[in-house]
PDB file of all heavy atoms in Angstrom:
ATOM      1  N   LYS A  96      15.363   9.892  11.558  1.00 97.00           N
ATOM      2  CA  LYS A  96      15.408   8.696  10.635  1.00 97.00           C
ATOM      3  C   LYS A  96      15.490   7.424  11.436  1.00 97.00           C
ATOM      4  O   LYS A  96      14.822   6.462  11.056  1.00 97.00           O
ATOM      5  CB  LYS A  96      16.526   8.902   9.660  1.00 97.00           C
ATOM      6  CG  LYS A  96      16.493   7.777   8.580  1.00 97.00           C
ATOM      7  CD  LYS A  96      17.517   7.952   7.527  1.00 97.00           C
ATOM      8  CE  LYS A  96      17.454   6.763   6.547  1.00 97.00           C
ATOM      9  NZ  LYS A  96      18.479   7.004   5.427  1.00 97.00           N
ATOM     10  N   GLU A  97      16.282   7.327  12.425  1.00 97.00           N
ATOM     11  CA  GLU A  97      16.481   6.185  13.240  1.00 97.00           C
ATOM     12  C   GLU A  97      15.192   5.764  13.910  1.00 97.00           C
ATOM     13  O   GLU A  97      14.783   4.579  13.947  1.00 97.00           O
ATOM     14  CB  GLU A  97      17.643   6.308  14.242  1.00 97.00           C
ATOM     15  CG  GLU A  97      18.969   6.514  13.680  1.00 97.00           C
ATOM     16  CD  GLU A  97      19.225   7.934  13.026  1.00 97.00           C
ATOM     17  OE1 GLU A  97      18.502   8.831  13.462  1.00 97.00           O
ATOM     18  OE2 GLU A  97      20.077   8.058  12.202  1.00 97.00           O
ATOM     19  N   GLU A  98      14.511   6.748  14.561  1.00 96.00           N
ATOM     20  CA  GLU A  98      13.298   6.438  15.251  1.00 96.00           C
ATOM     21  C   GLU A  98      12.128   6.007  14.258  1.00 96.00           C
ATOM     22  O   GLU A  98      11.416   5.075  14.508  1.00 96.00           O
ATOM     23  CB  GLU A  98      12.793   7.657  15.992  1.00 96.00           C
ATOM     24  CG  GLU A  98      11.529   7.386  16.863  1.00 96.00           C
ATOM     25  CD  GLU A  98      11.170   8.634  17.705  1.00 96.00           C
ATOM     26  OE1 GLU A  98      11.810   9.667  17.740  1.00 96.00           O
ATOM     27  OE2 GLU A  98      10.134   8.540  18.287  1.00 96.00           O
ATOM     28  N   ALA A  99      12.109   6.730  13.062  1.00 97.00           N
ATOM     29  CA  ALA A  99      11.122   6.333  12.098  1.00 97.00           C
ATOM     30  C   ALA A  99      11.369   4.906  11.558  1.00 97.00           C
ATOM     31  O   ALA A  99      10.416   4.156  11.372  1.00 97.00           O
ATOM     32  CB  ALA A  99      11.170   7.351  10.919  1.00 97.00           C
ATOM     33  N   GLU A 100      12.645   4.547  11.330  1.00 97.00           N
ATOM     34  CA  GLU A 100      12.949   3.244  10.868  1.00 97.00           C
ATOM     35  C   GLU A 100      12.483   2.141  11.882  1.00 97.00           C
ATOM     36  O   GLU A 100      11.903   1.139  11.507  1.00 97.00           O
ATOM     37  CB  GLU A 100      14.487   3.046  10.534  1.00 97.00           C
ATOM     38  CG  GLU A 100      14.930   3.744   9.319  1.00 97.00           C
ATOM     39  CD  GLU A 100      16.381   3.630   9.158  1.00 97.00           C
ATOM     40  OE1 GLU A 100      17.153   3.485  10.144  1.00 97.00           O
ATOM     41  OE2 GLU A 100      16.814   3.719   7.956  1.00 97.00           O
ATOM     42  N   THR A 101      12.818   2.455  13.146  1.00 97.00           N
ATOM     43  CA  THR A 101      12.474   1.476  14.231  1.00 97.00           C
ATOM     44  C   THR A 101      10.970   1.327  14.304  1.00 97.00           C
ATOM     45  O   THR A 101      10.355   0.183  14.332  1.00 97.00           O
ATOM     46  CB  THR A 101      13.054   1.941  15.549  1.00 97.00           C
ATOM     47  OG1 THR A 101      14.489   1.970  15.477  1.00 97.00           O
ATOM     48  CG2 THR A 101      12.666   0.991  16.682  1.00 97.00           C
ATOM     49  N   ASP A 102      10.252   2.404  14.334  1.00 96.00           N
ATOM     50  CA  ASP A 102       8.814   2.414  14.438  1.00 96.00           C
ATOM     51  C   ASP A 102       8.126   1.685  13.261  1.00 96.00           C
ATOM     52  O   ASP A 102       7.222   0.968  13.368  1.00 96.00           O
ATOM     53  CB  ASP A 102       8.237   3.815  14.584  1.00 96.00           C
ATOM     54  CG  ASP A 102       8.548   4.433  15.893  1.00 96.00           C
ATOM     55  OD1 ASP A 102       9.092   3.698  16.825  1.00 96.00           O
ATOM     56  OD2 ASP A 102       8.333   5.655  16.047  1.00 96.00           O
ATOM     57  N   LEU A 103       8.629   1.991  12.076  1.00 97.00           N
ATOM     58  CA  LEU A 103       8.119   1.456  10.811  1.00 97.00           C
ATOM     59  C   LEU A 103       8.361  -0.097  10.825  1.00 97.00           C
ATOM     60  O   LEU A 103       7.440  -0.914  10.480  1.00 97.00           O
ATOM     61  CB  LEU A 103       8.736   2.044   9.606  1.00 97.00           C
ATOM     62  CG  LEU A 103       8.348   1.506   8.195  1.00 97.00           C
ATOM     63  CD1 LEU A 103       6.729   1.607   8.088  1.00 97.00           C
ATOM     64  CD2 LEU A 103       8.964   2.311   7.092  1.00 97.00           C
ATOM     65  N   LYS A 104       9.576  -0.565  11.190  1.00 96.00           N
ATOM     66  CA  LYS A 104       9.812  -2.000  11.276  1.00 96.00           C
ATOM     67  C   LYS A 104       8.898  -2.679  12.308  1.00 96.00           C
ATOM     68  O   LYS A 104       8.381  -3.779  11.922  1.00 96.00           O
ATOM     69  CB  LYS A 104      11.273  -2.245  11.619  1.00 96.00           C
ATOM     70  CG  LYS A 104      12.276  -1.958  10.588  1.00 96.00           C
ATOM     71  CD  LYS A 104      13.697  -2.131  11.009  1.00 96.00           C
ATOM     72  CE  LYS A 104      14.666  -1.765   9.927  1.00 96.00           C
ATOM     73  NZ  LYS A 104      16.076  -1.783  10.468  1.00 96.00           N
ATOM     74  N   ASP A 105       8.601  -2.044  13.403  1.00 96.00           N
ATOM     75  CA  ASP A 105       7.749  -2.618  14.404  1.00 96.00           C
ATOM     76  C   ASP A 105       6.308  -2.708  13.929  1.00 96.00           C
ATOM     77  O   ASP A 105       5.678  -3.704  14.075  1.00 96.00           O
ATOM     78  CB  ASP A 105       7.774  -1.762  15.667  1.00 96.00           C
ATOM     79  CG  ASP A 105       9.055  -1.899  16.519  1.00 96.00           C
ATOM     80  OD1 ASP A 105       9.830  -2.785  16.277  1.00 96.00           O
ATOM     81  OD2 ASP A 105       9.292  -1.027  17.370  1.00 96.00           O
ATOM     82  N   PHE A 106       5.866  -1.637  13.231  1.00 95.00           N
ATOM     83  CA  PHE A 106       4.493  -1.671  12.639  1.00 95.00           C
ATOM     84  C   PHE A 106       4.336  -2.710  11.598  1.00 95.00           C
ATOM     85  O   PHE A 106       3.376  -3.486  11.642  1.00 95.00           O
ATOM     86  CB  PHE A 106       4.185  -0.225  12.106  1.00 95.00           C
ATOM     87  CG  PHE A 106       2.839  -0.158  11.463  1.00 95.00           C
ATOM     88  CD1 PHE A 106       1.694  -0.367  12.271  1.00 95.00           C
ATOM     89  CD2 PHE A 106       2.695   0.189  10.184  1.00 95.00           C
ATOM     90  CE1 PHE A 106       0.406  -0.263  11.708  1.00 95.00           C
ATOM     91  CE2 PHE A 106       1.385   0.301   9.662  1.00 95.00           C
ATOM     92  CZ  PHE A 106       0.272   0.108  10.389  1.00 95.00           C
ATOM     93  N   LEU A 107       5.295  -2.853  10.699  1.00 96.00           N
ATOM     94  CA  LEU A 107       5.248  -3.853   9.672  1.00 96.00           C
ATOM     95  C   LEU A 107       5.303  -5.300  10.254  1.00 96.00           C
ATOM     96  O   LEU A 107       4.626  -6.104   9.795  1.00 96.00           O
ATOM     97  CB  LEU A 107       6.348  -3.695   8.630  1.00 96.00           C
ATOM     98  CG  LEU A 107       6.245  -2.368   7.786  1.00 96.00           C
ATOM     99  CD1 LEU A 107       7.482  -2.185   6.939  1.00 96.00           C
ATOM    100  CD2 LEU A 107       4.994  -2.442   6.941  1.00 96.00           C
ATOM    101  N   LYS A 108       6.090  -5.431  11.286  1.00 94.00           N
ATOM    102  CA  LYS A 108       6.154  -6.729  11.939  1.00 94.00           C
ATOM    103  C   LYS A 108       4.779  -7.048  12.602  1.00 94.00           C
ATOM    104  O   LYS A 108       4.346  -8.196  12.514  1.00 94.00           O
ATOM    105  CB  LYS A 108       7.214  -6.734  13.055  1.00 94.00           C
ATOM    106  CG  LYS A 108       7.368  -8.009  13.828  1.00 94.00           C
ATOM    107  CD  LYS A 108       8.480  -7.888  14.847  1.00 94.00           C
ATOM    108  CE  LYS A 108       8.521  -9.201  15.693  1.00 94.00           C
ATOM    109  NZ  LYS A 108       9.366  -9.161  16.796  1.00 94.00           N
ATOM    110  N   GLN A 109       4.172  -6.130  13.243  1.00 91.00           N
ATOM    111  CA  GLN A 109       2.873  -6.347  13.850  1.00 91.00           C
ATOM    112  C   GLN A 109       1.808  -6.726  12.806  1.00 91.00           C
ATOM    113  O   GLN A 109       1.064  -7.646  13.031  1.00 91.00           O
ATOM    114  CB  GLN A 109       2.404  -5.140  14.653  1.00 91.00           C
ATOM    115  CG  GLN A 109       3.204  -4.926  15.885  1.00 91.00           C
ATOM    116  CD  GLN A 109       2.855  -3.528  16.533  1.00 91.00           C
ATOM    117  OE1 GLN A 109       2.015  -2.801  16.049  1.00 91.00           O
ATOM    118  NE2 GLN A 109       3.515  -3.233  17.666  1.00 91.00           N
TER     119      GLN A 109
END
Side-chain angles (χ1 to χ4, degrees):
K96 183 175 182 180
E97 295 76 21
E98 185 177 355
E100 285 177 334
T101 299
D102 290 349
L103 180 55
K104 286 177 184 176
D105 288 346
F106 180 60
L107 292 173
K108 180 181 177 189
Q109 290 173 357

